[in-house]
Amino acid sequence: EDQVTQSPEALRLQEGESSSLNCSYTVSGLRGLFWYRQDPGKGPEFLFTLYSAGEEKEKERLKATLTKKESFLHITAPKPEDSATYLCAVQGPGNNRKLIWGLGTSLAVNP
Amino acid sequence: GAGVSQSPRYKVAKRGQDVALRCDPISGHVSLFWYQQALGQGPEFLTYFQNEAQLDKSGLPSDRFFAERPEGSVSTLKIQRTQQEDSAVYLCASSSRGANTGELFFGEGSRLTVL
């Protein structure tokens, strides 16, 4: 069964303290892995798509990487406004358009 | 509009009542999704439309759930005879033609509480 596991469940950082979030997945024939950010009371906001092992994407203080079994979201010198829940989702093969989501990592960045 | 709009934002229903949740996607977006998100969980797929065609409804939890998009724009998710386990945030998302359907624009959701 396709599955996405995110760790840690929660992470508290000091402003400027870099760290990484993990998303491990089991899916046959990965078509894409997606990172989203979700603020309280809001819908998820798209961040990145990764398609193949070795691929990397960057946006401001965030960098996403992908291997054959997991993805990392690296946060460099985070700021309080980076506080949110970060969700990972995968899309399986064929015409399957549904995404399989992890439970998310709740990130708090203290000033 | 500028983004995906959902209404109502909050709905309280008594057990057994019917509810209707509306989604107005980004203009021109052909793909529309409904997801259900329980507290502390990731979204769970409910159904997918391409224009007015409902191509996948495999995630609808029971026959009490029904979704439509009659003119290929606005969509309505209807839940009949609501139960307490239906309490969740219902998220609508859309994407444009040709876009990878994992790159979604979400609305703020409709939070349903069934008493």
Side-chain angles (χ1 to χ4, degrees), chain A residues 24-38:
Chain A
S24 63
Y25 61 91
T26 53
V27 62
S28 55
L30 180 75
R31 287 182 62 205
L33 184 143
F34 308 88
W35 282 98
Y36 282 79
R37 167 193 172 126
Q38 187 171 27

Side-chain angles (χ1 to χ4, degrees), chain A:
Chain A
E1 182 182 341
D2 297 342
Q3 199 166 9
V4 176
T5 303
Q6 292 189 244
S7 62
E9 288 184 13
L11 181 63
R12 186 176 295 274
L13 300 173
Q14 289 298 122
E15 185 171 2
E17 180 187 0
S18 301
S19 188
S20 296
L21 313 182
N22 178 265
C23 170
S24 63
Y25 61 91
T26 53
V27 62
S28 55
L30 180 75
R31 287 182 62 205
L33 184 143
F34 308 88
W35 282 98
Y36 282 79
R37 167 193 172 126
Q38 187 171 27
D39 292 293
K42 306 286 188 180
E45 177 187 349
F46 171 75
L47 293 174
F48 301 111
T49 304
L50 299 166
Y51 292 105
S52 57
E55 189 175 1
E56 297 183 354
K57 294 274 180 72
E58 267 188 90
K59 179 180 179 181
E60 295 181 353
R61 295 176 293 282
L62 301 177
K63 183 168 80 171
T65 61
L66 181 64
T67 72
K68 287 188 177 180
K69 293 186 177 180
E70 58 191 349
S71 176
F72 292 93
L73 185 66
H74 306 278
I75 304 176
T76 302
K79 298 182 177 182
E81 53 262 42
D82 295 322
S83 298
T85 295
Y86 290 85
L87 293 163
C88 172
V90 299
Q91 186 175 28
N95 285 326
N96 188 348
R97 295 175 178 87
K98 70 178 73 171
L99 297 181
I100 309 299
W101 297 77
L103 299 184
T105 293
S106 176
L107 174 66
V109 181
N110 297 325

